[in-house]
Amino acid sequence: MRISHARLAPVVAAVTTLAAAVVVTPLVAGPAAAAQGCQVDYRPTVWPGGFTATVRVAPGDTALNGWTVGWTYAGDQRITGAWNAVVSQSGATVTARNAAWNGSVPAGGATEFGVQGTVGPAAPAPTGFTLNGVPCNGAPPGSPSPTTSTSPTTSPSPTTSPSPTTSPSPTTSPSPTPTTSPSPTGPPPAGCSGAVLCDGFENQTGSAPSGDWTVVHPDCAGTGAAAVDTATAHAGSRSVRIDGGGGYCNHVFVRANRDLSAVGAVRYGRLWVRHTTALPADHVTVLAMTDAADGNRDLRMGGQNGALQWNRASDDATLPEQSPAGVALSVPLPTGRWSCVEFMVDGSTGQLRTWLDGAAVAGLTADGVPTHDVDGQWYGRTWRPRLTDLKIGWESYGGAADTLWFDDVALGATRIGC
């Protein structure tokens, strides 16, 4: 029996002390003026102590060649990271500038970026949205900044937070991260074209997963259970529901029975996941893949210290490292809504990348070059994985429990996309 233990004490509280990421000026020409019809849609997910927000920018009838979005926080929100934009904060004022690859937006088009941060008890909606200095969301020229905007989705706890409807992946290419190699260029293809495995569980006819999937309980079985759910689905009418119990021995997964040998050394995965309870401080797993090059121990994706992480079962190494700097480069898995999780594992080079809702996650990237407090521990030894299967479900190594749904799972040799 193998038991994994958290390597370090929780560091979530320390993360909140981090400053925003270093600003790098994007290499673009000066921004074009924005039209009066511009719209900035701010869609947050808030939990006690933190938040993420997706910001959609629509310029209206004037194309953009470079953009700067601004707003003002009315509460105590502090931004600690961002994707698809270069974001800075001075007091309550936030400035977001396009990255080098997404500055051009056609008339009638839109682009998206995201931010994450810390928040105290108050999280009122931000105000004063501008695009290239022009007030947006219906404010007339020369008027004070607008006082209305998209309200945040706030709640006392993640389990009761109203959830936004499923949103599409960002309309721009996935962003490279400042400390890692850029993600593959160009937008990912739609659907599952070319995937070796592509399953929305619509062919499941009973209450228990069968056919292409087998319910397994690694190491030992407890109260954890897997079932086909016809009440909650990302698309179609079915998903797999996992009732994950707290404590060791409540491990439960559904394992793909499909022959995955055609995937090869470079493996891209995509799954839609929804869950009810925020990732805990202790270690949990929601996806596992057997590594034949590592004693048939699992490469695991899950969470620790409230954020997504990868974990290697053979030596319990984590990506990112469980330090304040490392955890700050990861993101939580939003609760109460469907999220698209993508990953790439390159066994020939020992590299790994991860995307959440189409945005690259800096802390979940291993680019082959050790980075202190991020993937230095991961590269403490040579890592050349040879993955042979795919399992989705729940393992808890502490007292954490969760209810999860998985849908539209895909695996292939090229990026599949959301």
Side-chain angles (χ1 to χ4, degrees):
M1 177 184 298
R2 57 179 173 86
I3 301 180
S4 174
H5 301 281
R7 301 179 68 88
L8 296 173
V11 296
V12 175
V15 174
T16 61
T17 65
L18 292 176
V22 174
V23 174
V24 179
T25 303
L27 302 177
V28 296
Q36 283 307 125
C38 61
Q39 293 288 321
V40 179
D41 180 18
Y42 182 98
R43 299 174 305 215
T45 299
V46 182
W47 62 93
F51 73 98
T52 60
T54 299
V55 185
R56 184 177 187 272
V57 183
D61 58 5
T62 300
L64 297 178
N65 182 21
W67 47 264
T68 299
V69 174
W71 68 83
T72 300
Y73 280 127
D76 49 9
Q77 297 99 322
R78 296 294 303 177
I79 289 176
T80 59
W83 56 94
N84 284 352
V86 179
V87 180
S88 61
Q89 183 173 355
S90 177
T93 302
V94 176
T95 302
R97 296 180 175 87
N98 62 275
W101 58 89
N102 64 354
S104 297
V105 183
T111 189
E112 289 187 358
F113 64 93
V115 296
Q116 68 184 80
T118 62
V119 66
T127 61
F129 289 97
T130 61
L131 175 59
N132 293 345
V134 176
C136 291
N137 301 352
S143 68
S145 297
T147 57
T148 59
S149 64
T150 303
S151 298
T153 306
T154 57
S155 67
S157 68
T159 58
T160 58
S161 172
S163 60
T165 57
T166 302
S167 60
S169 303
T171 56
T172 56
S173 302
S175 62
T177 63
T179 58
T180 60
S181 301
S183 55
T185 58
C192 289
S193 177
V196 174
L197 169 68
C198 181
D199 199 337
F201 305 108
E202 296 304 302
N203 62 351
Q204 296 290 325
T205 57
S207 59
S210 61
D212 284 336
W213 299 88
T214 298
V215 179
V216 295
H217 302 272
D219 303 312
C220 56
T223 60
V228 176
D229 194 323
T230 58
T232 301
H234 168 253
S237 60
R238 288 172 172 78
S239 68
V240 165
R241 172 175 167 149
I242 300 292
D243 295 308
Y248 193 79
C249 278
N250 290 319
H251 303 177
V252 58
F253 286 86
V254 291
R255 182 179 61 204
N257 294 328
R258 191 78 57 86
D259 180 5
L260 303 178
S261 60
V263 175
V266 180
R267 167 181 289 212
Y268 284 84
R270 190 281 311 280
L271 61 146
W272 286 88
V273 60
R274 181 185 182 113
H275 71 137
T276 61
T277 307
L279 294 174
D282 49 340
H283 177 206
V284 296
T285 295
V286 300
L287 178 149
M289 297 173 285
T290 300
D291 186 354
D294 198 13
N296 287 321
R297 306 297 297 274
D298 280 342
L299 172 65
R300 306 179 290 202
M301 177 193 285
Q304 191 169 345
N305 282 310
L308 287 168
Q309 72 158 28
W310 288 91
N311 177 284
R312 200 163 51 205
S314 61
D315 59 0
D316 213 23
T318 66
L319 179 73
E321 294 181 25
Q322 299 306 298
S323 65
V327 173
L329 290 175
S330 186
V331 293
L333 183 64
T335 58
R337 70 170 176 89
W338 287 100
S339 298
C340 179
V341 177
E342 299 175 84
F343 63 87
M344 184 281 291
V345 180
D346 187 339
S348 61
T349 63
Q351 296 189 27
L352 186 155
R353 287 175 171 77
T354 316
W355 299 265
L356 177 63
D357 292 330
V361 182
L364 303 182
T365 301
D367 62 358
V369 179
T371 301
H372 179 64
D373 277 345
V374 182
D375 59 1
Q377 179 192 74
W378 197 256
Y379 287 124
R381 63 176 175 84
T382 300
W383 181 62
R384 294 293 184 271
R386 182 159 57 88
L387 305 176
T388 60
D389 69 353
L390 177 70
K391 301 181 287 288
I392 50 177
W394 178 256
E395 285 181 334
S396 176
Y397 303 96
D402 202 353
T403 301
L404 310 95
W405 292 263
F406 296 92
D407 204 355
D408 296 322
V409 178
L411 197 69
T414 59
R415 190 171 175 191
I416 299 156
C418 297

